[in-house]
Structure formats: C-alpha cells, structure tokens
Amino acid sequence: MLVRRLRTLGVRNLADAEVELGEGVTLVRGPNGAGKTNLLEAIYVGLAGRSPRTSNDRETIAFGRPLGRVEVDVEDSRQASTPRGPDRRTFLCSIERGDERRHQVDGQPAGPAHAELRPALSVFMPDRLVLVKGPPAGRRAHLDRFCAALWPARTEARRRYSRALAQRNALLGRIRAGSAGRDSLQAWDAELSIAGAELAAIRAEALSALSEPFETAAGDLGLEGEAVITYRPRSDASSAEQLAAELAERHDSDLARGFTTHGPHLDEVALDRGGRSLRRYGSQGEHRLTLLALLFAEREVLLSEDRPPPMMLLDDVTSELDAGRRALLCERLIAGGGQALITATESAQLPASCPRRELALREGRVIAGVEDAADGSAEAA
C-alpha cells in the first residue's frame, strides 16, 4: 500500500497544494514552523479521518478558512502486475468549523472495512508521547488498532465488546432508575464476558508477539536496561464463564456507581525498563525511545505476518539520536519496504548513505525537492 498523492485545502499553515510522494524514505526538511509536522498530520487525517495530535477537529483548519480538506490517493502496489494495473483509492476528509466532518473513500462514507484499502499508520510526534506517559486508555486503543492491522478478520471483537459494554451500562442506569429488574443483568454479563474473553485473548497474543521485537528495538535505539511490554488484564479469568462470574460478584458496586467496573475496558498495557514503569519513572528522552521502539516492533510483527508494512510518519525523530543510531534507524526503515516520511531541519540529520527523496518546506509551501538523494545533497525540483 503506497500513498501516491496528497492534496490539501485550508489545513493549518499548509498552502493549498498537491504533493507527489514516492516509495521508500522521504525526508521533509525545513526550518521550525515551516509546516513539516502539519504535512504529516494532513496525511494521517486524510487516511484515518482524525488527527493524531488533537481530539478537536477544528484545530486542523487554517485560520480564517471555513473548512479544512485533505485528499490522499492510495495505490495497492501488490496488484501492479495485474492486467488492469494497480488498484487505486482516494481518501477524503473534510472538516468544517460547524463541527461537520466527512470521511470518505471514493465518494462513499468510510467505515471499518475500508482500513484494508490503506496502509497501517505508525506515528511518532511529540504529542504522541502520551501513549507512553499517559493513562491506560490510550495504550489500549493503540493496541486494539494494531490488532486490527495485524488480524483484520478479528476487528469485530473490539466492536462487539464495546456494544455489549454500552448495553450493560445502559441497563445499570435503568435498574438504578427503577425501570428494569436486577435479574436482567445476567444476560448482559454473559454477552459481555464472551466478547471480553475474546478481546483479551487477542490483545495477549499480540503483546506476546511484540515482546521480543520491542526489547531488541529498545536496546538498539539506546534505551538502557531490559525493556518489557506486557498485558496486565484487570480480570484473572481464563474463560468467558469465569469472567461472567466475576461480573456477577460486582453487581452491587456496579449499581452503586452506575457503570461496569470490571473487564477488558480497564486493562493496562505496561511498558517497563529494568523493572520500573516507564510511565512513572522514565525521562522525556526515554519516552521518545520507548515510543519509537514500539513502532518498530509493531512494524516487524506486521511484516512477519505477511501484512503490508505500515506508513511511518516520524516527526523530529533524529534530534536525540547519535550518528550510529540514525544509521540504524534508516536500516530499519529500508528493510521490508513501505513508505516513511521523516521531518528534520536539514538534510544532514539523516546519514548521507540513506537513500531517500526530499521535500523542502518554507512557510507551509513545498519549495524544493529531489527525486533521489543518497549523499545529503539537495536540488531544486
């Protein structure tokens, strides 16, 4: 899956423009404030229908503009050898100041099934460090998206659990209001437990696959001490029946609080180094290395399962890496194919030996580029 073209209209400080993208590594260079991060965000918004930086969609709209619009053309390169050529799709996300948002694929509303039509997205941005140092909900959501990319056929498990949880919580509210009987909880205990046991098993399997690649990537990138990623479920149950029994034991507390206080929606994904929580005790630099190691571990697992490589959107990723680890970063990006966009203030922040295309930005405009660069030079396009 390759992103071939990006078109922006009214997005942050980016000029209304069309940008061609190539395979492999692309270095997006320019001074601070040039719009490099905004370019990566625009690609994500167009493909995913939401920003990786903010939950307020309107923040992505340029000042003084009524709406922001992103179009992204995606090509399935795996079908390039077929008689009709590669399969192409256009993703569109339009956000208006009146809070109206549209996300479409080839003119049709985008849904979960369309995730197969685009590359998975791996994002490194300062805003994304909350994935390491923030509350568990963000790590759970990230893990569930990774599971969906790794095993598309299992995506429905998360939605089934969410629906059952919403129904059980609504029932708790009705029971508290006196419009439903307590005995009716048993049916939703069973429903939630079946979906919950399946979801927990999927998460545990994914984290087991990530464990060794995460430790290796963290060590290679310079995170000292043994780096460990583990799944810590709230429940001790090993089956749906046991989880249902645990839920039944908590009927009183759930009714007192008005919501479900037990289950996979409260599980933790723990990131530790040397036996200590990186969330609590890690420095800002360690948080950066942890996030980067996690993204590379996910990429390795996806490739090992013969899934398309994710598109890597890496903002200011080289600033705290020494020359040796910058070289390792490039080696990892090149291995396995796919696309990677890396932002930097100058070409020299990537090793001269790293083959790449370059885009130069100034005040939100693409002003220069090179088709291929392996010596750190830059020429006007």
Side-chain angles (χ1 to χ4, degrees), residues 334-371:
I334 295 167
Q339 287 175 292
L341 272 72
I342 304 177
T343 70
T345 55
E346 55 189 29
S347 296
Q349 288 184 271
L350 276 188
S353 59
C354 180
R356 77 269 194 164
R357 301 175 72 249
E358 294 193 10
L359 294 173
L361 268 67
R362 183 179 298 160
E363 296 180 348
R365 297 180 181 276
V366 177
I367 60 169
V370 289
E371 285 302 314

PDB file of all heavy atoms in Angstrom, residues 334-371:
ATOM      1  N   ILE A 334      14.396   1.020   5.764  1.00  0.00           N
ATOM      2  CA  ILE A 334      14.567   0.496   4.413  1.00  0.00           C
ATOM      3  C   ILE A 334      14.184  -0.975   4.346  1.00  0.00           C
ATOM      4  O   ILE A 334      13.591  -1.439   3.363  1.00  0.00           O
ATOM      5  CB  ILE A 334      16.015   0.709   3.943  1.00  0.00           C
ATOM      6  CG1 ILE A 334      16.305   2.213   3.813  1.00  0.00           C
ATOM      7  CG2 ILE A 334      16.273   0.005   2.618  1.00  0.00           C
ATOM      8  CD1 ILE A 334      17.771   2.542   3.665  1.00  0.00           C
ATOM      9  N   ALA A 335      14.505  -1.729   5.399  1.00  0.00           N
ATOM     10  CA  ALA A 335      14.198  -3.163   5.424  1.00  0.00           C
ATOM     11  C   ALA A 335      12.688  -3.368   5.400  1.00  0.00           C
ATOM     12  O   ALA A 335      11.951  -2.781   6.179  1.00  0.00           O
ATOM     13  CB  ALA A 335      14.800  -3.798   6.671  1.00  0.00           C
ATOM     14  N   GLY A 336      12.222  -4.192   4.516  1.00  0.00           N
ATOM     15  CA  GLY A 336      10.797  -4.513   4.483  1.00  0.00           C
ATOM     16  C   GLY A 336       9.978  -3.646   3.566  1.00  0.00           C
ATOM     17  O   GLY A 336       8.803  -3.926   3.337  1.00  0.00           O
ATOM     18  N   GLY A 337      10.563  -2.585   3.019  1.00  0.00           N
ATOM     19  CA  GLY A 337       9.837  -1.744   2.070  1.00  0.00           C
ATOM     20  C   GLY A 337       8.844  -0.813   2.747  1.00  0.00           C
ATOM     21  O   GLY A 337       8.958  -0.499   3.929  1.00  0.00           O
ATOM     22  N   GLY A 338       7.865  -0.384   1.989  1.00  0.00           N
ATOM     23  CA  GLY A 338       6.884   0.554   2.507  1.00  0.00           C
ATOM     24  C   GLY A 338       7.353   1.988   2.363  1.00  0.00           C
ATOM     25  O   GLY A 338       8.316   2.286   1.648  1.00  0.00           O
ATOM     26  N   GLN A 339       6.677   2.891   3.053  1.00  0.00           N
ATOM     27  CA  GLN A 339       6.978   4.315   2.987  1.00  0.00           C
ATOM     28  C   GLN A 339       7.268   4.860   4.373  1.00  0.00           C
ATOM     29  O   GLN A 339       6.681   4.421   5.359  1.00  0.00           O
ATOM     30  CB  GLN A 339       5.800   5.094   2.403  1.00  0.00           C
ATOM     31  CG  GLN A 339       5.586   4.918   0.918  1.00  0.00           C
ATOM     32  CD  GLN A 339       4.342   5.630   0.453  1.00  0.00           C
ATOM     33  OE1 GLN A 339       3.228   5.246   0.806  1.00  0.00           O
ATOM     34  NE2 GLN A 339       4.500   6.667  -0.352  1.00  0.00           N
ATOM     35  N   ALA A 340       8.158   5.847   4.417  1.00  0.00           N
ATOM     36  CA  ALA A 340       8.446   6.557   5.658  1.00  0.00           C
ATOM     37  C   ALA A 340       8.682   8.019   5.332  1.00  0.00           C
ATOM     38  O   ALA A 340       9.424   8.332   4.395  1.00  0.00           O
ATOM     39  CB  ALA A 340       9.659   5.964   6.365  1.00  0.00           C
ATOM     40  N   LEU A 341       8.050   8.908   6.088  1.00  0.00           N
ATOM     41  CA  LEU A 341       8.299  10.336   5.986  1.00  0.00           C
ATOM     42  C   LEU A 341       8.929  10.782   7.298  1.00  0.00           C
ATOM     43  O   LEU A 341       8.371  10.554   8.377  1.00  0.00           O
ATOM     44  CB  LEU A 341       7.006  11.116   5.734  1.00  0.00           C
ATOM     45  CG  LEU A 341       6.594  11.280   4.260  1.00  0.00           C
ATOM     46  CD1 LEU A 341       6.102   9.952   3.702  1.00  0.00           C
ATOM     47  CD2 LEU A 341       5.509  12.344   4.114  1.00  0.00           C
ATOM     48  N   ILE A 342      10.092  11.420   7.199  1.00  0.00           N
ATOM     49  CA  ILE A 342      10.830  11.871   8.372  1.00  0.00           C
ATOM     50  C   ILE A 342      11.035  13.377   8.260  1.00  0.00           C
ATOM     51  O   ILE A 342      11.502  13.873   7.231  1.00  0.00           O
ATOM     52  CB  ILE A 342      12.202  11.177   8.467  1.00  0.00           C
ATOM     53  CG1 ILE A 342      12.045   9.660   8.460  1.00  0.00           C
ATOM     54  CG2 ILE A 342      12.945  11.620   9.714  1.00  0.00           C
ATOM     55  CD1 ILE A 342      13.367   8.919   8.469  1.00  0.00           C
ATOM     56  N   THR A 343      10.717  14.122   9.303  1.00  0.00           N
ATOM     57  CA  THR A 343      10.953  15.563   9.280  1.00  0.00           C
ATOM     58  C   THR A 343      12.281  15.883   9.952  1.00  0.00           C
ATOM     59  O   THR A 343      12.708  15.210  10.892  1.00  0.00           O
ATOM     60  CB  THR A 343       9.840  16.340  10.002  1.00  0.00           C
ATOM     61  OG1 THR A 343       9.914  16.100  11.409  1.00  0.00           O
ATOM     62  CG2 THR A 343       8.471  15.935   9.488  1.00  0.00           C
ATOM     63  N   ALA A 344      12.932  16.923   9.453  1.00  0.00           N
ATOM     64  CA  ALA A 344      14.197  17.395  10.022  1.00  0.00           C
ATOM     65  C   ALA A 344      14.417  18.824   9.543  1.00  0.00           C
ATOM     66  O   ALA A 344      13.817  19.266   8.554  1.00  0.00           O
ATOM     67  CB  ALA A 344      15.359  16.505   9.591  1.00  0.00           C
ATOM     68  N   THR A 345      15.265  19.532  10.243  1.00  0.00           N
ATOM     69  CA  THR A 345      15.555  20.909   9.842  1.00  0.00           C
ATOM     70  C   THR A 345      16.561  20.980   8.713  1.00  0.00           C
ATOM     71  O   THR A 345      16.626  21.976   7.998  1.00  0.00           O
ATOM     72  CB  THR A 345      16.066  21.730  11.042  1.00  0.00           C
ATOM     73  OG1 THR A 345      17.194  21.062  11.614  1.00  0.00           O
ATOM     74  CG2 THR A 345      14.974  21.874  12.100  1.00  0.00           C
ATOM     75  N   GLU A 346      17.357  19.924   8.515  1.00  0.00           N
ATOM     76  CA  GLU A 346      18.343  19.932   7.440  1.00  0.00           C
ATOM     77  C   GLU A 346      18.655  18.509   6.996  1.00  0.00           C
ATOM     78  O   GLU A 346      18.435  17.537   7.733  1.00  0.00           O
ATOM     79  CB  GLU A 346      19.621  20.629   7.888  1.00  0.00           C
ATOM     80  CG  GLU A 346      20.225  20.060   9.146  1.00  0.00           C
ATOM     81  CD  GLU A 346      21.369  20.907   9.677  1.00  0.00           C
ATOM     82  OE1 GLU A 346      21.369  22.129   9.463  1.00  0.00           O
ATOM     83  OE2 GLU A 346      22.270  20.318  10.292  1.00  0.00           O
ATOM     84  N   SER A 347      19.169  18.371   5.798  1.00  0.00           N
ATOM     85  CA  SER A 347      19.437  17.056   5.206  1.00  0.00           C
ATOM     86  C   SER A 347      20.420  16.240   6.020  1.00  0.00           C
ATOM     87  O   SER A 347      20.332  15.010   6.077  1.00  0.00           O
ATOM     88  CB  SER A 347      19.977  17.227   3.786  1.00  0.00           C
ATOM     89  OG  SER A 347      19.021  17.808   2.943  1.00  0.00           O
ATOM     90  N   ALA A 348      21.387  16.906   6.663  1.00  0.00           N
ATOM     91  CA  ALA A 348      22.443  16.207   7.377  1.00  0.00           C
ATOM     92  C   ALA A 348      21.935  15.420   8.579  1.00  0.00           C
ATOM     93  O   ALA A 348      22.687  14.623   9.159  1.00  0.00           O
ATOM     94  CB  ALA A 348      23.509  17.199   7.833  1.00  0.00           C
ATOM     95  N   GLN A 349      20.675  15.616   8.961  1.00  0.00           N
ATOM     96  CA  GLN A 349      20.146  14.868  10.100  1.00  0.00           C
ATOM     97  C   GLN A 349      19.818  13.419   9.750  1.00  0.00           C
ATOM     98  O   GLN A 349      19.508  12.627  10.633  1.00  0.00           O
ATOM     99  CB  GLN A 349      18.916  15.582  10.669  1.00  0.00           C
ATOM    100  CG  GLN A 349      19.277  16.856  11.414  1.00  0.00           C
ATOM    101  CD  GLN A 349      18.072  17.519  12.052  1.00  0.00           C
ATOM    102  OE1 GLN A 349      17.407  18.344  11.444  1.00  0.00           O
ATOM    103  NE2 GLN A 349      17.791  17.144  13.284  1.00  0.00           N
ATOM    104  N   LEU A 350      19.882  13.067   8.469  1.00  0.00           N
ATOM    105  CA  LEU A 350      19.853  11.674   8.048  1.00  0.00           C
ATOM    106  C   LEU A 350      21.228  11.318   7.504  1.00  0.00           C
ATOM    107  O   LEU A 350      21.876  12.164   6.874  1.00  0.00           O
ATOM    108  CB  LEU A 350      18.800  11.441   6.957  1.00  0.00           C
ATOM    109  CG  LEU A 350      17.364  11.193   7.380  1.00  0.00           C
ATOM    110  CD1 LEU A 350      16.540  10.784   6.159  1.00  0.00           C
ATOM    111  CD2 LEU A 350      17.243  10.151   8.463  1.00  0.00           C
ATOM    112  N   PRO A 351      21.694  10.096   7.721  1.00  0.00           N
ATOM    113  CA  PRO A 351      23.010   9.709   7.187  1.00  0.00           C
ATOM    114  C   PRO A 351      23.081   9.926   5.687  1.00  0.00           C
ATOM    115  O   PRO A 351      22.099   9.705   4.962  1.00  0.00           O
ATOM    116  CB  PRO A 351      23.104   8.220   7.544  1.00  0.00           C
ATOM    117  CG  PRO A 351      22.179   8.040   8.701  1.00  0.00           C
ATOM    118  CD  PRO A 351      21.056   9.009   8.490  1.00  0.00           C
ATOM    119  N   ALA A 352      24.224  10.351   5.208  1.00  0.00           N
ATOM    120  CA  ALA A 352      24.394  10.603   3.781  1.00  0.00           C
ATOM    121  C   ALA A 352      24.169   9.348   2.952  1.00  0.00           C
ATOM    122  O   ALA A 352      23.785   9.418   1.782  1.00  0.00           O
ATOM    123  CB  ALA A 352      25.794  11.153   3.527  1.00  0.00           C
ATOM    124  N   SER A 353      24.394   8.175   3.552  1.00  0.00           N
ATOM    125  CA  SER A 353      24.247   6.911   2.826  1.00  0.00           C
ATOM    126  C   SER A 353      22.796   6.446   2.731  1.00  0.00           C
ATOM    127  O   SER A 353      22.526   5.439   2.080  1.00  0.00           O
ATOM    128  CB  SER A 353      25.074   5.828   3.516  1.00  0.00           C
ATOM    129  OG  SER A 353      24.645   5.669   4.867  1.00  0.00           O
ATOM    130  N   CYS A 354      21.862   7.148   3.365  1.00  0.00           N
ATOM    131  CA  CYS A 354      20.463   6.720   3.399  1.00  0.00           C
ATOM    132  C   CYS A 354      19.753   7.154   2.121  1.00  0.00           C
ATOM    133  O   CYS A 354      19.569   8.358   1.888  1.00  0.00           O
ATOM    134  CB  CYS A 354      19.759   7.322   4.611  1.00  0.00           C
ATOM    135  SG  CYS A 354      18.009   6.861   4.736  1.00  0.00           S
ATOM    136  N   PRO A 355      19.345   6.218   1.257  1.00  0.00           N
ATOM    137  CA  PRO A 355      18.635   6.613   0.030  1.00  0.00           C
ATOM    138  C   PRO A 355      17.277   7.195   0.379  1.00  0.00           C
ATOM    139  O   PRO A 355      16.528   6.624   1.158  1.00  0.00           O
ATOM    140  CB  PRO A 355      18.509   5.299  -0.745  1.00  0.00           C
ATOM    141  CG  PRO A 355      18.584   4.230   0.296  1.00  0.00           C
ATOM    142  CD  PRO A 355      19.486   4.753   1.375  1.00  0.00           C
ATOM    143  N   ARG A 356      16.947   8.331  -0.213  1.00  0.00           N
ATOM    144  CA  ARG A 356      15.666   8.963   0.084  1.00  0.00           C
ATOM    145  C   ARG A 356      15.322   9.999  -0.974  1.00  0.00           C
ATOM    146  O   ARG A 356      16.184  10.441  -1.734  1.00  0.00           O
ATOM    147  CB  ARG A 356      15.681   9.640   1.448  1.00  0.00           C
ATOM    148  CG  ARG A 356      16.402  10.992   1.520  1.00  0.00           C
ATOM    149  CD  ARG A 356      17.827  10.834   1.884  1.00  0.00           C
ATOM    150  NE  ARG A 356      18.451  12.102   2.280  1.00  0.00           N
ATOM    151  CZ  ARG A 356      19.593  12.184   2.935  1.00  0.00           C
ATOM    152  NH1 ARG A 356      20.230  11.080   3.286  1.00  0.00           N
ATOM    153  NH2 ARG A 356      20.106  13.356   3.241  1.00  0.00           N
ATOM    154  N   ARG A 357      14.074  10.392  -1.014  1.00  0.00           N
ATOM    155  CA  ARG A 357      13.630  11.577  -1.717  1.00  0.00           C
ATOM    156  C   ARG A 357      13.537  12.688  -0.682  1.00  0.00           C
ATOM    157  O   ARG A 357      13.441  12.420   0.507  1.00  0.00           O
ATOM    158  CB  ARG A 357      12.264  11.359  -2.357  1.00  0.00           C
ATOM    159  CG  ARG A 357      12.226  10.204  -3.354  1.00  0.00           C
ATOM    160  CD  ARG A 357      10.823   9.961  -3.868  1.00  0.00           C
ATOM    161  NE  ARG A 357      10.391  11.018  -4.785  1.00  0.00           N
ATOM    162  CZ  ARG A 357       9.451  11.911  -4.517  1.00  0.00           C
ATOM    163  NH1 ARG A 357       8.863  11.916  -3.329  1.00  0.00           N
ATOM    164  NH2 ARG A 357       9.087  12.804  -5.420  1.00  0.00           N
ATOM    165  N   GLU A 358      13.542  13.928  -1.137  1.00  0.00           N
ATOM    166  CA  GLU A 358      13.442  15.041  -0.197  1.00  0.00           C
ATOM    167  C   GLU A 358      12.381  16.036  -0.642  1.00  0.00           C
ATOM    168  O   GLU A 358      12.176  16.258  -1.843  1.00  0.00           O
ATOM    169  CB  GLU A 358      14.792  15.759  -0.048  1.00  0.00           C
ATOM    170  CG  GLU A 358      15.863  14.905   0.604  1.00  0.00           C
ATOM    171  CD  GLU A 358      17.081  15.712   1.026  1.00  0.00           C
ATOM    172  OE1 GLU A 358      17.021  16.965   0.990  1.00  0.00           O
ATOM    173  OE2 GLU A 358      18.093  15.088   1.406  1.00  0.00           O
ATOM    174  N   LEU A 359      11.713  16.600   0.337  1.00  0.00           N
ATOM    175  CA  LEU A 359      10.791  17.708   0.128  1.00  0.00           C
ATOM    176  C   LEU A 359      11.233  18.836   1.053  1.00  0.00           C
ATOM    177  O   LEU A 359      11.449  18.604   2.238  1.00  0.00           O
ATOM    178  CB  LEU A 359       9.350  17.311   0.469  1.00  0.00           C
ATOM    179  CG  LEU A 359       8.677  16.251  -0.401  1.00  0.00           C
ATOM    180  CD1 LEU A 359       7.316  15.878   0.193  1.00  0.00           C
ATOM    181  CD2 LEU A 359       8.509  16.745  -1.831  1.00  0.00           C
ATOM    182  N   ALA A 360      11.386  20.026   0.503  1.00  0.00           N
ATOM    183  CA  ALA A 360      11.763  21.179   1.318  1.00  0.00           C
ATOM    184  C   ALA A 360      10.548  22.086   1.487  1.00  0.00           C
ATOM    185  O   ALA A 360       9.860  22.401   0.513  1.00  0.00           O
ATOM    186  CB  ALA A 360      12.905  21.948   0.666  1.00  0.00           C
ATOM    187  N   LEU A 361      10.279  22.482   2.732  1.00  0.00           N
ATOM    188  CA  LEU A 361       9.144  23.346   3.039  1.00  0.00           C
ATOM    189  C   LEU A 361       9.625  24.683   3.581  1.00  0.00           C
ATOM    190  O   LEU A 361      10.634  24.754   4.292  1.00  0.00           O
ATOM    191  CB  LEU A 361       8.228  22.701   4.098  1.00  0.00           C
ATOM    192  CG  LEU A 361       7.058  21.851   3.586  1.00  0.00           C
ATOM    193  CD1 LEU A 361       7.584  20.595   2.907  1.00  0.00           C
ATOM    194  CD2 LEU A 361       6.131  21.496   4.728  1.00  0.00           C
ATOM    195  N   ARG A 362       8.881  25.724   3.244  1.00  0.00           N
ATOM    196  CA  ARG A 362       9.102  27.033   3.836  1.00  0.00           C
ATOM    197  C   ARG A 362       7.758  27.744   3.910  1.00  0.00           C
ATOM    198  O   ARG A 362       7.067  27.878   2.904  1.00  0.00           O
ATOM    199  CB  ARG A 362      10.095  27.857   3.006  1.00  0.00           C
ATOM    200  CG  ARG A 362      10.424  29.225   3.621  1.00  0.00           C
ATOM    201  CD  ARG A 362      11.423  29.976   2.777  1.00  0.00           C
ATOM    202  NE  ARG A 362      12.681  29.223   2.713  1.00  0.00           N
ATOM    203  CZ  ARG A 362      13.598  29.421   1.765  1.00  0.00           C
ATOM    204  NH1 ARG A 362      13.373  30.298   0.799  1.00  0.00           N
ATOM    205  NH2 ARG A 362      14.723  28.718   1.784  1.00  0.00           N
ATOM    206  N   GLU A 363       7.393  28.151   5.117  1.00  0.00           N
ATOM    207  CA  GLU A 363       6.130  28.857   5.357  1.00  0.00           C
ATOM    208  C   GLU A 363       4.950  28.105   4.756  1.00  0.00           C
ATOM    209  O   GLU A 363       4.053  28.687   4.135  1.00  0.00           O
ATOM    210  CB  GLU A 363       6.203  30.274   4.794  1.00  0.00           C
ATOM    211  CG  GLU A 363       7.260  31.131   5.486  1.00  0.00           C
ATOM    212  CD  GLU A 363       7.333  32.535   4.925  1.00  0.00           C
ATOM    213  OE1 GLU A 363       6.732  32.787   3.857  1.00  0.00           O
ATOM    214  OE2 GLU A 363       7.984  33.378   5.561  1.00  0.00           O
ATOM    215  N   GLY A 364       4.935  26.789   4.963  1.00  0.00           N
ATOM    216  CA  GLY A 364       3.811  25.965   4.537  1.00  0.00           C
ATOM    217  C   GLY A 364       3.808  25.568   3.082  1.00  0.00           C
ATOM    218  O   GLY A 364       2.876  24.896   2.630  1.00  0.00           O
ATOM    219  N   ARG A 365       4.837  25.940   2.332  1.00  0.00           N
ATOM    220  CA  ARG A 365       4.880  25.626   0.902  1.00  0.00           C
ATOM    221  C   ARG A 365       6.033  24.681   0.587  1.00  0.00           C
ATOM    222  O   ARG A 365       7.124  24.842   1.121  1.00  0.00           O
ATOM    223  CB  ARG A 365       5.051  26.905   0.071  1.00  0.00           C
ATOM    224  CG  ARG A 365       3.886  27.874   0.206  1.00  0.00           C
ATOM    225  CD  ARG A 365       4.110  29.121  -0.652  1.00  0.00           C
ATOM    226  NE  ARG A 365       3.010  30.043  -0.501  1.00  0.00           N
ATOM    227  CZ  ARG A 365       1.861  29.973  -1.185  1.00  0.00           C
ATOM    228  NH1 ARG A 365       1.712  29.018  -2.084  1.00  0.00           N
ATOM    229  NH2 ARG A 365       0.904  30.840  -0.977  1.00  0.00           N
ATOM    230  N   VAL A 366       5.775  23.719  -0.296  1.00  0.00           N
ATOM    231  CA  VAL A 366       6.842  22.866  -0.802  1.00  0.00           C
ATOM    232  C   VAL A 366       7.592  23.677  -1.846  1.00  0.00           C
ATOM    233  O   VAL A 366       7.051  24.024  -2.894  1.00  0.00           O
ATOM    234  CB  VAL A 366       6.285  21.572  -1.418  1.00  0.00           C
ATOM    235  CG1 VAL A 366       7.416  20.732  -2.003  1.00  0.00           C
ATOM    236  CG2 VAL A 366       5.518  20.762  -0.370  1.00  0.00           C
ATOM    237  N   ILE A 367       8.851  24.009  -1.544  1.00  0.00           N
ATOM    238  CA  ILE A 367       9.616  24.888  -2.426  1.00  0.00           C
ATOM    239  C   ILE A 367      10.696  24.174  -3.204  1.00  0.00           C
ATOM    240  O   ILE A 367      11.216  24.702  -4.172  1.00  0.00           O
ATOM    241  CB  ILE A 367      10.255  26.046  -1.626  1.00  0.00           C
ATOM    242  CG1 ILE A 367      11.209  25.473  -0.561  1.00  0.00           C
ATOM    243  CG2 ILE A 367       9.197  26.932  -1.008  1.00  0.00           C
ATOM    244  CD1 ILE A 367      12.078  26.525   0.093  1.00  0.00           C
ATOM    245  N   ALA A 368      11.079  22.970  -2.769  1.00  0.00           N
ATOM    246  CA  ALA A 368      12.138  22.251  -3.461  1.00  0.00           C
ATOM    247  C   ALA A 368      12.069  20.790  -3.112  1.00  0.00           C
ATOM    248  O   ALA A 368      11.455  20.391  -2.123  1.00  0.00           O
ATOM    249  CB  ALA A 368      13.518  22.816  -3.088  1.00  0.00           C
ATOM    250  N   GLY A 369      12.729  19.988  -3.947  1.00  0.00           N
ATOM    251  CA  GLY A 369      12.781  18.560  -3.652  1.00  0.00           C
ATOM    252  C   GLY A 369      13.783  17.895  -4.547  1.00  0.00           C
ATOM    253  O   GLY A 369      14.304  18.489  -5.489  1.00  0.00           O
ATOM    254  N   VAL A 370      14.079  16.647  -4.274  1.00  0.00           N
ATOM    255  CA  VAL A 370      14.948  15.851  -5.145  1.00  0.00           C
ATOM    256  C   VAL A 370      14.299  14.497  -5.322  1.00  0.00           C
ATOM    257  O   VAL A 370      13.659  13.973  -4.418  1.00  0.00           O
ATOM    258  CB  VAL A 370      16.366  15.675  -4.543  1.00  0.00           C
ATOM    259  CG1 VAL A 370      17.132  16.970  -4.590  1.00  0.00           C
ATOM    260  CG2 VAL A 370      16.306  15.143  -3.145  1.00  0.00           C
ATOM    261  N   GLU A 371      14.440  13.937  -6.500  1.00  0.00           N
ATOM    262  CA  GLU A 371      13.843  12.635  -6.752  1.00  0.00           C
ATOM    263  C   GLU A 371      14.491  11.563  -5.890  1.00  0.00           C
ATOM    264  O   GLU A 371      13.840  10.744  -5.293  1.00  0.00           O
ATOM    265  CB  GLU A 371      13.981  12.274  -8.242  1.00  0.00           C
ATOM    266  CG  GLU A 371      13.005  13.052  -9.124  1.00  0.00           C
ATOM    267  CD  GLU A 371      11.570  12.806  -8.697  1.00  0.00           C
ATOM    268  OE1 GLU A 371      11.192  11.647  -8.470  1.00  0.00           O
ATOM    269  OE2 GLU A 371      10.841  13.796  -8.574  1.00  0.00           O
TER     270      GLU A 371
END
